[in-house]
Amino acid sequence: MRLRGFVPLLLMALWALSGTVAGHQATATAPTAAAAGPNLASVNAAVAKAGEPELLFGKNAERSVPIASLTKVMTALVVLESGQSLNEWLTFRERHTPAAANAYSRIRIDSTLRRADVLRLALMSSENFAAYTLARSHPGGFDAFIDAMNDKARELGMTGARFVDPTGLSVDNVASAADLVKLVNAAARHPELQAYSTTGYFRAHFRNPRYSLSYGNTNALVHRDSWGVTLSKTGYLKDAGRCLVMISEMNGEQVVTVLLDSLGTRSPMGDAGRIKRWLDTGAPGQVARAARRYEQSKNAAYAAADKQSVSAH
């Protein structure tokens, strides 16, 4: 009898000890959080306390992948730190380079809008023509803007990041989840970027000609007060999957969430919920089989690409 009672106690003690050691970093926000972390549909992810570089959780967090319209966070940061007036009226000129097939915009050529509102549209509704116009209006022009994006990435220590356009329509815009934690923390230092990216709805008033267009935020969680979202950006490309970065309240703290390459439109929202519950209770949650299959196929593709790259060198 004594032996039967002793074994479970010993196993419980060993489990507790291993959880204390292996889960030290993961439990910085929630003492009950499991060391293994949450189950996520996103192929790549990172979670950190806002303002801090250390990750509470990472999933392929150092892998550089296409980031789609999450690019616009860097675009907005470069614009704001350029010191240009937010009250200046910008002209939406015809593109000097061909746009991608999914770059449709309702904004009319040669119409004008204040830089502050152009910036807001690029962030809250992911307006590609707005992001392009911000870059085109940069001192030194479009190419100088792209250089400034890459310079800023190096300054922030985003070692896996590379930018070739300001919209995210190019698959050559890449970064890791850990890189994007650094970018989000930098962007969050600017109240304007917090406000613009979390605007729920906005009606933009253009001139020359005079007309108005209504926009909504692409992140549904912005509309839920219980999430306390203070910075947000979504993204999608076929090669990038569904992507999301945001700062929101989780377990009583402001937390940076980076989710890259999810299968469906609702997957990043589901992952955010699983991260929130994990930080609160330690429960890892469950992911649908379709998402698991998608993750396996994408990891296999990444592995094959890495192997091919190594053999080529």
Side-chain angles (χ1 to χ4, degrees), residues 62-82:
E62 301 297 334
R63 176 191 281 164
S64 292
V65 296
I67 59 172
S69 284
L70 302 188
T71 294
K72 294 184 179 76
V73 179
M74 177 60 84
T75 298
L77 183 61
V78 170
V79 169
L80 203 62
E81 294 190 350
S82 72

Side-chain angles (χ1 to χ4, degrees), residues 104-222:
Y104 169 77
S105 175
R106 295 179 293 155
I107 299 174
R108 304 177 194 176
I109 299 293
D110 292 332
S111 59
T112 61
L113 187 68
R114 286 190 177 91
R115 179 176 279 108
D117 292 337
V118 178
L119 192 54
R120 190 189 304 269
L121 296 186
L123 286 171
M124 56 89 70
S125 71
S126 209
E127 225 302 337
N128 291 309
F129 199 9
Y132 169 82
T133 299
L134 290 167
R136 188 84 180 268
S137 305
H138 186 72
F142 186 88
D143 291 342
F145 188 87
I146 303 304
D147 289 341
M149 294 176 75
N150 287 296
D151 289 343
K152 189 63 183 180
R154 284 190 289 271
E155 178 188 326
L156 293 176
M158 298 172 62
T159 56
R162 176 173 177 259
F163 298 96
V164 301
D165 96 298
T167 66
L169 290 172
S170 172
V171 296
D172 293 326
N173 281 11
V174 298
S176 69
D179 287 332
L180 292 175
V181 169
K182 298 173 183 177
L183 175 58
V184 169
N185 279 330
R189 299 187 191 110
H190 299 277
E192 298 92 340
L193 300 190
Q194 292 191 36
Y196 296 162
S197 70
T198 57
T199 300
Y201 300 99
F202 184 71
R203 189 161 183 83
H205 300 283
F206 298 84
R207 26 180 236 190
N208 301 325
R210 189 176 298 275
Y211 65 101
S212 299
L213 295 173
S214 294
Y215 295 86
N217 200 295
T218 55
N219 181 4
L221 298 181
V222 164

